[in-house]
Amino acid sequence: MADAPERALATPAPTQTDATEARHQARMARKKAVIDQKIAAAKTERGVVLVHTGPGKGKSTAAFGLLARALGHGLRAVVVQFVKGRSDTGEEAFFRRQANVTWVVSGEGFTWETQSRARDVAAAEAGWHAAETALADPTVGLVVLDELNIVLKYRYLPLERVLTALANRPAMQHVVITGRGAPPELLAAADTVTEMRLVKHAFQAGVAAMPGVEF
Amino acid sequence: MADAPERALATPAPTQTDATEARHQARMARKKAVIDQKIAAAKTERGVVLVHTGPGKGKSTAAFGLLARALGHGLRAVVVQFVKGRSDTGEEAFFRRQANVTWVVSGEGFTWETQSRARDVAAAEAGWHAAETALADPTVGLVVLDELNIVLKYRYLPLERVLTALANRPAMQHVVITGRGAPPELLAAADTVTEMRLVKHAFQAGVAAMPGVEF
């Protein structure tokens, strides 16, 4: 009650909600202008090469998410899995049920499971044959080359063959390449590169590989 | 022909291929032992919370890949999209056709598009209502909370409500939360955290948002 006269004298201030809303609106209008300008500047329509690398989780799953996205737009897709740890993955079961996807598995398992370089090289060659066919087919809108970076890292395939096939592919075709340790020449050739950084992983806390999450 | 006698005298050396194969095999056997031990140590089976954050591409797509993976294992899933830039995404078209997925869109668009904090808060509340229902339902195996981090960053929802619902969810339920700027308290509560680091993006080189890749 003591400060009532002062209150009465004061010019009615805008409520906090109004002020917050106005500030928010001004800030967002500035942000929208910047973003709209950037969008207007990006006009080229063509196929892109994406690389998902780094030690964190999400490299292959982001490729499978892109696959779902592409299928939703009616694109045809080919997936080649170069190094495959297990044969009971959710993604394979799921996408094999879908139309417009060809799913090829070339590897027998992680390279530390086969323990034979000769067998790994033969598997990589077989996978690359399927990949090259897809990369020459203009009816294929998206090619997923899962764990190709591992194959390149162990030199199971010559990098030059991969770079040549990417450079000569149909103009509107998108390609996603996943796996740790992508070679610098591939990063240079790619349009979009994300490094999945490992902040933490449930595995480190003793959680088993859960179906639906890890495979 | 000149070095023919020397050739004939030399003890037949193992071929380079044999030596390479032996080295490879030894290295991979050591690697397998380390990995097998780690796998044996990770025994806990439970639902996990994954966070995809950082400025790079792949946060939402990795969540959609996980969704495909979970559906492949027969899990039921609920997706809540908190901030939605457009209504013509491939992922929405694709997953709305699938069994076992409930797809909820709560936001009207990016926050710089609506330019109204009050509307954004109302949309966030509506989305959170759907999320809370899913997070209390033991028949839901995976909950995708797409762009929830943006909602938390702008304080459209109290973080405490989110942390409480995560802590009290069914034991076997997995949750994926995406968006830039995940709050530290959420990272602490998560089991698996990946930061998507932007190495480069086609957008920076003037490539338009291509259907099947960017939406």
Side-chain angles (χ1 to χ4, degrees), chain B residues 203-215:
Chain B
F203 186 59
Q204 297 163 331
V207 179
M210 299 298 293
V213 176
E214 302 302 331
F215 63 93

Side-chain angles (χ1 to χ4, degrees), chain B:
Chain B
M1 289 297 280
D3 59 352
E6 275 172 60
R7 270 205 198 149
L9 285 171
T11 311
T15 64
Q16 207 207 329
T17 308
D18 289 348
T20 304
E21 184 74 28
R23 257 200 323 275
H24 178 87
Q25 200 175 331
R27 192 152 55 105
M28 289 303 148
R30 286 195 299 275
K31 187 160 185 168
K32 179 172 163 58
V34 170
I35 289 169
D36 285 352
Q37 197 176 15
K38 282 190 187 170
I39 290 172
K43 283 201 167 80
T44 313
E45 302 208 340
R46 63 171 172 82
V48 292
V49 174
L50 302 99
V51 174
H52 301 163
T53 193
K57 178 170 169 60
K59 298 180 290 295
S60 293
T61 43
F64 301 138
L66 217 70
L67 173 58
R69 179 170 277 178
L71 294 174
H73 283 287
L75 301 185
R76 277 191 58 220
V78 173
V79 179
V80 182
Q81 291 200 289
F82 280 92
V83 179
K84 200 168 151 71
R86 51 199 308 162
S87 60
D88 56 349
T89 70
E91 56 271 27
E92 184 173 350
F94 178 77
F95 284 111
R96 281 202 189 273
R97 294 201 295 256
Q98 307 296 327
N100 295 328
V101 188
T102 305
W103 194 280
V104 178
V105 176
S106 79
E108 295 175 76
F110 288 118
T111 189
W112 56 87
E113 290 289 350
T114 67
Q115 297 185 20
S116 162
R117 186 176 168 86
R119 271 163 63 190
D120 286 350
V121 168
E125 289 281 349
W128 185 248
H129 180 74
E132 260 180 344
T133 306
L135 290 166
D137 182 349
T139 73
V140 175
L142 174 69
V143 182
V144 179
L145 303 175
D146 189 35
E147 304 291 5
L148 179 63
N149 291 337
I150 304 293
V151 163
L152 294 173
K153 191 175 142 193
Y154 283 104
R155 299 178 192 282
Y156 293 160
L157 281 177
L159 177 60
E160 205 45 59
R161 274 175 70 188
V162 173
L163 295 177
T164 302
L166 289 177
N168 295 335
R169 77 190 196 285
M172 296 305 288
Q173 187 181 74
H174 307 300
V175 183
V176 196
I177 298 171
T178 78
R180 295 184 187 210
E185 297 88 342
L186 181 62
L187 299 186
D191 299 290
T192 296
V193 176
T194 303
E195 184 195 329
M196 273 66 174
R197 198 168 77 78
L198 175 71
V199 180
K200 63 175 165 175
H201 197 294
F203 186 59
Q204 297 163 331
V207 179
M210 299 298 293
V213 176
E214 302 302 331
F215 63 93

